[in-house]
Amino acid sequence: DSGVTQTPKHLITATGQRVTLRCSPRSGDLSVYWYQQSLDQGLQFLIQYYNGEERAKGNILERFSAQQFPDLHSELNLSSLELGDSALYFCASSVSSGANVLTFGAGSRLTVL
Amino acid sequence: GQQLNQSPQSMFIQEGEDVSMNCTSSSIFNTWLWYKQDPGEGPVLLIALYKAGELTSNGRLTAQFGITRKDSFLNISASIPSDVGIYFCATPEETSGSRLTFGEGTQLTVNP
């Protein structure tokens, strides 16, 4: 157990729908990162939050949004889902915004039918 | 943005064999990280390298930070079935220093 908790572990939904993925960082970590891993692709950085504020943005679609709450948990919202959004979504955390060693959760597998 | 070229893309070996994989870039880095992803799990940090020329071991794993600072190597000795998984190299993003850029991974299969 890495200490980073992601829910749900698996999610199946239909095109056009909206889902929310949740992440609780490791105790003491203030920074949360979201990554997408599609089939046959590496890990693509989506967005980073530090202590409730957005710190960095990667190749995140406009249909996707995220936030980090005062208790430091984070949610990734995916809307108007398309087949191509099917992927593993990983959350990672680190103690500070500048830390370069991330601890990953087990991921949420999203399947869009 | 920075791009990491990882090779080989996949490897099929027999138990007991040694494994070598590498990661290269056109950019210079101050940190190289190696992660392993087991099937159905998130990546787990194996080794972190912070100095050019550094050679660091973690059990049967040994990683090296290339002298040019543009590459890194990971070796696994005497492979066992639980070494199966995807191995990723990663480096911190140049400007933010926190978000990681990952290579595309080396898929390792170990036949008993």
Side-chain angles (χ1 to χ4, degrees), chain B residues 88-101:
Chain B
F88 291 100
C89 60
T91 57
E93 208 274 337
E94 292 170 354
T95 53
S96 76
S98 58
R99 52 186 271 196
L100 296 180
T101 296

Side-chain angles (χ1 to χ4, degrees), chain A residues 28-87:
Chain A
D29 285 357
L30 300 178
S31 201
V32 169
Y33 308 75
W34 287 97
Y35 280 81
Q36 179 192 56
Q37 186 179 36
S38 302
L39 194 64
D40 296 334
Q41 287 195 18
L43 292 147
Q44 302 296 320
F45 171 73
L46 295 178
I47 198 163
Q48 178 204 359
Y49 281 83
Y50 174 74
N51 206 19
E53 293 188 0
E54 181 184 306
R55 275 302 173 98
K57 218 168 187 176
N59 298 323
I60 187 167
L61 300 172
E62 284 193 11
R63 299 183 287 109
F64 297 180
S65 65
Q67 54 184 325
Q68 186 179 27
F69 294 87
D71 67 352
L72 300 178
H73 91 270
S74 177
E75 293 182 356
L76 179 66
N77 301 297
L78 315 174
S79 61
S80 303
L81 286 168
E82 302 175 359
L83 296 177
D85 297 328
S86 295

Side-chain angles (χ1 to χ4, degrees), chain A residues 9 33 35 37 40-43 45 48 56-58 88 90 97-107, chain B residues 9 31 33 35 37 40-45 48 50 86 88 92 96-105:
Chain A
K9 194 164 178 64
Y33 308 75
Y35 280 81
Q37 186 179 36
D40 296 334
Q41 287 195 18
L43 292 147
F45 171 73
Q48 178 204 359
K57 218 168 187 176
L88 268 168
F90 287 104
S97 65
N100 56 31
V101 175
L102 307 185
T103 302
F104 282 81
Chain B
Q9 195 172 13
T31 301
L33 306 170
Y35 279 82
Q37 183 179 18
E41 300 293 330
V44 173
L45 181 67
Y50 298 107
I86 306 176
F88 291 100
S96 76
S98 58
R99 52 186 271 196
L100 296 180
T101 296
F102 285 83
E104 297 204 347

